Amino acid sequence: MDRDQPPTAEDQWEPISGITTCSAAAQSDEEQNETKAEISSQANNENPETTDVSDASDCPSPNSSMTTKQLQDYWRNEKRRCRQVKLLFEIPSTRIVEHHLSKYVLYKIIIIQTGSFDGNRSVIERRYSDFEKLHKNLLKDFNEEMEDVIFPKKTLTGNFTEEMINERKLAFRDYLGLLYSMKCVRRSKKFFDFLTKPEMEEAYGCLRGGQYTKALEILVQVIALQEKLTKQNPVLIVPTLCAILLCHKDLENPASAYEYGEKALLRLQMHCGHRYYIPLLETMITLAYELGKDFLSLQEKLEASKAKKSQIKVFTLKELAVREYIQ
């Protein structure tokens, strides 16, 4: 399966910036310095300028129509914008897979968010050919920037020896860290797809097949990683939030579905023209009515949004979701 085609769910692209390859001690010192800088910034009533912080228009502004929860989420996000979030890649283990006539090594990659406590580490597995395909595709776009990047060479023999596997574990760890330190690469869809697309394809395949429990299990794990990668452009995870909503809805968990719908709507407050906005509102109205919640305000937003739209077909939320990640 071609993993290099960009997912259709993403209308914009602005992944998070920053990288760390420092030791645990160095991280501790840096976090202390960042905390001091944040306190100093608050004292001066200024928003510190950090590397790759997106335009303020990407985040909603507080207003009187926000609920208490939405305001809390807003100020929590604003506080995080003052701290440079970084990602650390580790490859602690591997496993050898034998499938029919093929045999390969899967490398377990742990992705940790630094700059604040990360209680939800993201874990994925990739094989040598996945890394190799990523490297070749990145060279097409960033050949000059990556001229000094060394990729572990393939060997004819000894690929499954403990010595070779350990050597590649370290090499791939450093390789990912180096790629992420390059602004042009970490902002690319190809890098983002390498880290998330295989799991998303599996999850959406389960959703299309009615396997909602399995799809939900995968989506909840993946969205934690997507949030790390797209911190400065939260709109990018709206399709995943909506897919989780649909899984909960079809599993007859309306309260959980409504909770994820609220998260998606919060991220679309400044993006009312987004293709998911109207279908999401329609679904949220149904859920609100079922749960005995206020649906009139949602209805008003829906009518206002439809009034601005031309007479084109609007897909349902389910129809949008089943079209994602189809090759």
Side-chain angles (χ1 to χ4, degrees), residues 280-321:
L280 176 59
L281 280 174
E282 291 175 336
T283 303
M284 289 294 285
I285 289 170
T286 302
L287 289 170
Y289 184 81
E290 181 180 351
L291 294 168
K293 295 180 178 290
D294 171 35
F295 62 88
L296 295 178
S297 60
L298 295 172
Q299 187 71 47
E300 290 175 0
K301 292 179 181 178
L302 176 62
E303 292 173 359
S305 185
K306 282 187 173 180
K308 297 177 183 178
K309 282 278 188 180
S310 58
Q311 296 299 317
I312 59 173
K313 176 176 173 55
V314 177
F315 293 105
T316 66
L317 198 64
K318 189 68 170 286
E319 287 173 336
L320 279 178

Side-chain angles (χ1 to χ4, degrees), residues 206-253:
C206 292
L207 191 154
R208 285 189 288 271
Q211 298 175 281
Y212 303 117
T213 300
K214 186 176 180 181
L216 182 60
E217 183 180 311
I218 300 171
L219 288 167
V220 169
Q221 292 296 319
V222 177
I223 199 169
L225 175 55
Q226 287 186 327
E227 287 177 331
K228 292 180 176 71
L229 295 167
T230 61
K231 212 69 172 180
Q232 303 304 327
N233 193 357
V235 175
L236 291 176
I237 67 170
V238 165
T240 309
L241 288 170
C242 290
I244 295 175
L245 177 160
L246 290 168
C247 288
H248 278 299
K249 185 174 182 293
D250 286 322
L251 289 169
E252 299 183 357
N253 299 323

Side-chain angles (χ1 to χ4, degrees), residues 76-321:
R76 187 179 298 112
N77 290 333
E78 283 299 296
K79 183 177 180 181
R80 286 172 179 169
R81 283 165 62 84
C82 298
R83 182 190 295 272
Q84 185 181 6
V85 180
K86 306 173 184 179
L87 296 185
L88 175 68
F89 298 88
E90 291 292 345
I91 303 181
S93 61
T94 61
R95 63 188 179 98
I96 297 176
V97 177
E98 295 190 54
H99 184 68
H100 298 305
L101 300 177
S102 65
K103 182 179 180 181
Y104 54 88
V105 179
L106 276 175
Y107 296 85
K108 180 179 180 180
I109 306 168
I110 298 179
I111 304 162
I112 307 166
Q113 178 178 295
T114 67
S116 61
F117 175 72
D118 185 6
N120 191 8
R121 299 182 176 188
S122 300
V123 181
I124 59 176
E125 287 186 317
R126 297 292 183 267
R127 53 189 291 187
Y128 181 94
S129 60
D130 295 324
F131 282 97
E132 186 177 41
K133 183 181 295 185
L134 169 67
H135 189 71
K136 289 179 178 178
N137 284 315
L138 288 176
L139 285 176
K140 295 176 183 177
D141 297 333
F142 312 111
N143 185 58
E144 183 176 344
E145 292 85 350
M146 295 178 58
E147 61 182 357
D148 295 326
V149 177
I150 299 175
F151 185 80
K153 299 294 184 181
K154 182 179 289 186
T155 59
L156 296 177
T157 60
N159 289 306
F160 301 100
T161 64
E162 184 177 355
E163 181 181 2
M164 176 60 72
I165 290 174
N166 288 332
E167 181 180 320
R168 283 185 175 168
K169 276 169 52 180
L170 297 175
F172 284 139
R173 181 200 64 184
D174 294 341
Y175 175 73
L176 288 174
L178 183 56
L179 290 183
Y180 202 74
S181 69
M182 302 166 66
K183 183 177 179 179
C184 59
V185 173
R186 67 172 172 262
R187 287 173 176 261
S188 70
K189 287 186 179 181
K190 291 176 180 178
F191 186 66
F192 183 81
D193 285 350
F194 170 80
L195 295 172
T196 63
K197 192 174 181 181
E199 289 74 19
M200 292 300 288
E201 288 178 331
E202 181 182 2
Y204 275 91
C206 292
L207 191 154
R208 285 189 288 271
Q211 298 175 281
Y212 303 117
T213 300
K214 186 176 180 181
L216 182 60
E217 183 180 311
I218 300 171
L219 288 167
V220 169
Q221 292 296 319
V222 177
I223 199 169
L225 175 55
Q226 287 186 327
E227 287 177 331
K228 292 180 176 71
L229 295 167
T230 61
K231 212 69 172 180
Q232 303 304 327
N233 193 357
V235 175
L236 291 176
I237 67 170
V238 165
T240 309
L241 288 170
C242 290
I244 295 175
L245 177 160
L246 290 168
C247 288
H248 278 299
K249 185 174 182 293
D250 286 322
L251 289 169
E252 299 183 357
N253 299 323
S256 296
Y258 191 85
E259 177 186 348
Y260 278 94
E262 283 189 311
K263 293 179 180 179
L265 280 178
L266 181 62
R267 288 159 172 80
L268 290 179
Q269 283 188 103
M270 304 298 292
H271 303 273
C272 297
H274 194 282
R275 61 198 177 91
Y276 267 78
Y277 187 66
I278 289 179
L280 176 59
L281 280 174
E282 291 175 336
T283 303
M284 289 294 285
I285 289 170
T286 302
L287 289 170
Y289 184 81
E290 181 180 351
L291 294 168
K293 295 180 178 290
D294 171 35
F295 62 88
L296 295 178
S297 60
L298 295 172
Q299 187 71 47
E300 290 175 0
K301 292 179 181 178
L302 176 62
E303 292 173 359
S305 185
K306 282 187 173 180
K308 297 177 183 178
K309 282 278 188 180
S310 58
Q311 296 299 317
I312 59 173
K313 176 176 173 55
V314 177
F315 293 105
T316 66
L317 198 64
K318 189 68 170 286
E319 287 173 336
L320 279 178

